[in-house]
Amino acid sequence: MTTLQQILGTELPLIQAPMAGAQASAMAIAVCNEGALGSLPCAMLGPDAMRSELAAIRAGTDKPYNVNFFAHTPPTPDEAREAAWRAALAPYYAEFGIDPAGIPTGPGRNPFSAEVADLLAEFKPPVVSFHFGLPPEPLLAKVRSWGAKVLVSATTVDEALWLEAKGVDAVIAQGLEAGGHRGHFLSHDLTKQLGTFALLPQLVHALKVPVIAAGGIADADGVAAAMALGAAGVQVGTAYLLTPEAMTSALHRAALKSEAARHTALTNLFTGRPARGIVNRVMRELGPIGPAPEFPLATSGIAPLRAKAEAQGSGDFSPLWSGQNATGCREVSSAEVTRALAKGFR
């Protein structure tokens, strides 16, 4: 079988997970220059910012890199659901003196589009990855036109088989332990979600393409364990969140370094889609899965609460994304984190 290194063009079968809002080109460059695959999360970037970050990567490394996008279908706004969401947040609006009538509705994140594909064609990134499935075939064909390899997250065997049938180059087995948004796209039933070391061997058995393990892997021992179960490589995110290259806020860094990081949960309160983060006040009081509108429409309702609380030094309404295993978080460079993880391949 072709190795993951041969597919990606890297020295190591290690991918730094794209973490939208928590990192940009600096982390990707540092990881690439250590022989792994650095990633640039593009789901929250406008065209100008995306072009600037891609130019920075091209100037900072001559190694392969990954750009990551969301492939969700924008939902149809549901007035009843939006009203229920605003009602659930009403006591908090009152507490912070926020007028809910002045809060706009609308999406916070856009899916991969033709305009973005045209922009990417100027840079021809060697690897493009997607979360929440795949974009429409014409857009995928555009990505493949310059020879890019395509990676996509799967959270079940059914999703992985669907992706393999669509011709992806490798599948990322995203276990339930992983921080940030779940990548599921065929079913919203969270009972179908599996832990990394339950999902990984099933995908290895079912697929012909390489399988990349993701979720709960925070050190060299975790890397070695994933490889022993048949992974072609690993993807790691949370372990990079305390590095100087990360854009993690002071509040988020403090939470990751505290005992609070031991308790994470899947929540839809911040974006409308289940994502794993450190449990905070709003998750405790509303329950982690609440009456939020579909992704990404929930963002606008909670955004002013987040801003007010953060201005007071509180992360009570902030998405403190983290995987279940934050033990690998260290205040060292992204390069050092990469070198430490690489020891698991030996």
Side-chain angles (χ1 to χ4, degrees):
M1 179 184 287
T2 304
T3 67
L4 187 64
Q5 296 98 305
Q6 289 170 322
I7 291 172
L8 303 179
T10 57
E11 299 167 38
L12 298 168
L14 170 63
I15 301 170
Q16 163 250 312
M19 298 177 287
Q23 53 106 179
S25 57
M27 182 182 292
I29 292 166
V31 172
C32 288
N33 286 333
E34 288 297 322
L37 188 73
S39 301
L40 177 69
C42 295
M44 295 170 64
L45 298 181
D48 291 344
M50 196 182 306
R51 182 174 279 106
S52 175
E53 291 296 313
L54 289 167
I57 291 177
R58 190 155 65 180
T61 186
D62 59 358
K63 304 292 182 67
Y65 62 94
N66 167 46
V67 292
N68 175 260
F69 297 90
F70 292 164
H72 62 286
T73 300
T76 301
D78 183 327
E79 290 185 10
R81 193 163 174 179
E82 183 69 35
W85 179 225
R86 298 300 178 97
L89 297 177
Y92 302 119
Y93 292 149
E95 178 183 336
F96 284 97
I98 296 170
D99 178 8
I103 302 172
T105 59
R109 295 162 176 82
N110 294 315
F112 191 69
S113 66
E115 293 75 16
V116 171
D118 289 341
L119 190 159
L120 282 190
E122 300 173 25
F123 293 88
K124 298 180 172 54
V127 183
V128 180
S129 64
F130 295 100
H131 215 46
F132 316 140
L134 281 166
E137 184 55 41
L139 296 182
L140 200 56
K142 178 83 170 182
V143 168
R144 289 184 168 131
S145 69
W146 63 77
K149 302 301 182 181
V150 176
L151 314 179
V152 190
S153 301
T155 68
T156 64
V157 175
D158 287 344
E159 288 177 348
L161 290 170
W162 186 92
L163 292 170
E164 184 176 60
K166 296 290 185 180
V168 303
D169 295 283
V171 170
I172 300 163
Q174 190 196 28
L176 193 59
E177 301 95 327
H181 286 95
R182 304 299 304 150
H184 59 255
F185 57 93
L186 289 185
S187 170
H188 291 289
D189 184 353
L190 291 178
T191 66
K192 295 182 177 182
Q193 301 290 290
L194 303 174
T196 303
F197 287 172
L199 177 64
L200 172 61
Q202 293 184 55
L203 297 199
V204 170
H205 177 75
L207 304 182
K208 295 181 176 65
V209 297
V211 179
I212 300 157
I217 301 169
D219 55 26
D221 289 341
V223 170
M227 300 302 284
L229 284 176
V234 300
Q235 177 172 284
V236 177
T238 301
Y240 286 95
L241 286 175
L242 290 184
T243 65
E245 293 86 3
M247 296 155 53
T248 322
S249 70
L251 288 168
H252 196 169
R253 288 175 186 268
L256 287 164
K257 290 188 286 185
S258 74
E259 293 183 2
R262 298 177 191 168
H263 186 193
T264 66
L266 293 180
T267 180
N268 68 339
L269 299 181
F270 300 106
T271 67
R273 189 179 182 96
R276 184 171 297 283
I278 297 170
V279 173
N280 58 6
R281 177 189 171 190
V282 71
M283 292 165 68
R284 286 191 297 269
E285 293 182 358
L286 291 185
I289 302 296
E294 279 295 316
F295 177 90
L297 300 179
T299 305
S300 59
I302 204 165
L305 293 168
R306 174 183 180 179
K308 288 277 191 177
E310 288 183 353
Q312 297 176 11
S314 167
D316 284 345
F317 296 86
S318 302
L320 305 171
W321 303 139
S322 173
Q324 285 185 324
N325 183 8
T327 59
C329 284
R330 295 185 297 140
E331 294 175 288
V332 299
S333 70
S334 294
E336 185 170 335
V337 172
T338 304
R339 289 192 294 268
L341 292 165
K343 293 177 181 176
F345 298 117
R346 296 170 189 162

